[in-house]
Amino acid sequence: MRNKLFAVSQTGVSHLSADTNRIFSPCQDAYKILEFPSEVIGWEGNLHGTIIAVADGHGNPIYHGSSEFGSKFAVKAATECMLELLSEYEKTNDVEVFSCFPRMVITAWKTLVLEHAKGRFPEKDLRKRFSKEHIYEDYLERIYMDYGSTLLVAVALPEEKLLITAQIGDGDILMMYRSDSEHEVHRLANANGEREFDSNVTDSLCMYRADRQFKMEILNGKESSEDAKILEDYVLLVTTDGISSGAFSEFHYLNDYCRWRMENYMFAEKNSERHFIQSFVEKEMEEKMCFYSTDDMTVVFMAVNDRDDEGDDSTSKDLTERI
């Protein structure tokens, strides 16, 4: 059993100069896809799977001026922490080990942020830049805020019949699975709660006690026959809020955009069919979605099933990372 996936990321038109149409501020989104054990040097475990991490830096130049780096550090911290927890899971066979992921990833993210900030500015300049009162705690919190970012993580282990998802902030981890009835789109680890669909307010890694704002959801086929059936054949879509902000409504977003593309990717039997869907999504984001959303847009599609690929297994380009 193997995972079929692709990722597309598009810089929002809000980052383009109206005069020259050139990028004047970088994309705030970042993503990282890690397939283990093949892409992990020194991996000693026997687990096989995929880690997807997607992050969206807040981008406000006044309060979050370094968030393009914050999102990069978020996906880096997420993949490293998950690898550590996967090693522990293999030893214990206990999914409870993943419950400490929020605290682990926040600590790792803050460490990367401080290292980067201190590398950019001398200590005295850091204090002057981030704290009027020169209070140490306040100074640190202001640095974290400057790098603020959301984070969405999905870890698929098909042979273990296990799916781990975690999220803080906006964006979506969406799932569609085969069933006898009509295929529906389900949210996993929904961190958005009852907020308005088009709200600009979001939780962040930079928040005080951000670990309390994380949502996690685990589907475990070893403990639930229902989960086992779901995890036989499914599609995940992990996306920042740039896509949903271009939709007219929640219904339009889930049904007209997500559902159609997820169904097509789920039923694609050949690599050529999957490449066509990938090319369609890329072109659509570049030429059409920008008229409805000015934000950066990132989507990762992953199909998990036990059907063999038909046709050439080559891919057109490396799309496993944007950090």
Side-chain angles (χ1 to χ4, degrees), residues 48-59:
H48 292 72
T50 304
I51 302 173
I52 298 172
V54 175
D56 181 1
H58 303 323

Side-chain angles (χ1 to χ4, degrees), residues 51 53 73-83 101 105 151-153:
I51 302 173
F73 298 146
V75 298
K76 175 179 172 59
T79 52
E80 292 177 353
C81 290
M82 271 300 179
L83 282 174
F101 174 74
V105 75
L151 177 62
L152 304 95
V153 182

Side-chain angles (χ1 to χ4, degrees), residues 3 5 33-36 48-52 154-158 302:
N3 305 336
L5 53 87
I33 300 170
L34 190 64
E35 296 188 281
F36 54 90
H48 292 72
T50 304
I51 302 173
I52 298 172
V155 184
L157 295 92
M302 179 170 66

Side-chain angles (χ1 to χ4, degrees), residues 113-119 121-147:
V113 164
L114 286 179
E115 288 177 353
H116 186 263
K118 290 177 180 178
F121 307 102
E123 184 79 12
K124 61 178 181 179
D125 291 345
L126 271 177
R127 291 180 178 275
K128 184 177 180 181
R129 178 182 178 90
F130 291 106
S131 178
K132 294 180 180 179
E133 298 81 12
H134 300 280
I135 302 174
Y136 186 70
E137 289 77 8
D138 179 63
Y139 141 81
L140 289 179
E141 294 304 320
R142 287 176 182 268
I143 292 176
Y144 301 143
M145 182 181 294
D146 196 55
Y147 286 75

Side-chain angles (χ1 to χ4, degrees), residues 124-190:
K124 61 178 181 179
D125 291 345
L126 271 177
R127 291 180 178 275
K128 184 177 180 181
R129 178 182 178 90
F130 291 106
S131 178
K132 294 180 180 179
E133 298 81 12
H134 300 280
I135 302 174
Y136 186 70
E137 289 77 8
D138 179 63
Y139 141 81
L140 289 179
E141 294 304 320
R142 287 176 182 268
I143 292 176
Y144 301 143
M145 182 181 294
D146 196 55
Y147 286 75
S149 176
T150 66
L151 177 62
L152 304 95
V153 182
V155 184
L157 295 92
E159 294 176 2
E160 294 287 308
K161 292 199 175 296
L162 187 65
L163 176 66
I164 305 116
T165 57
Q167 177 176 348
I168 183 171
D170 51 28
D172 281 302
I173 303 173
L174 302 173
M175 182 185 202
M176 177 182 286
Y177 57 89
R178 284 182 183 261
S179 65
D180 297 331
S181 58
E182 188 176 12
H183 297 95
E184 294 185 3
V185 178
H186 302 270
R187 277 194 172 94
L188 300 177
N190 182 16

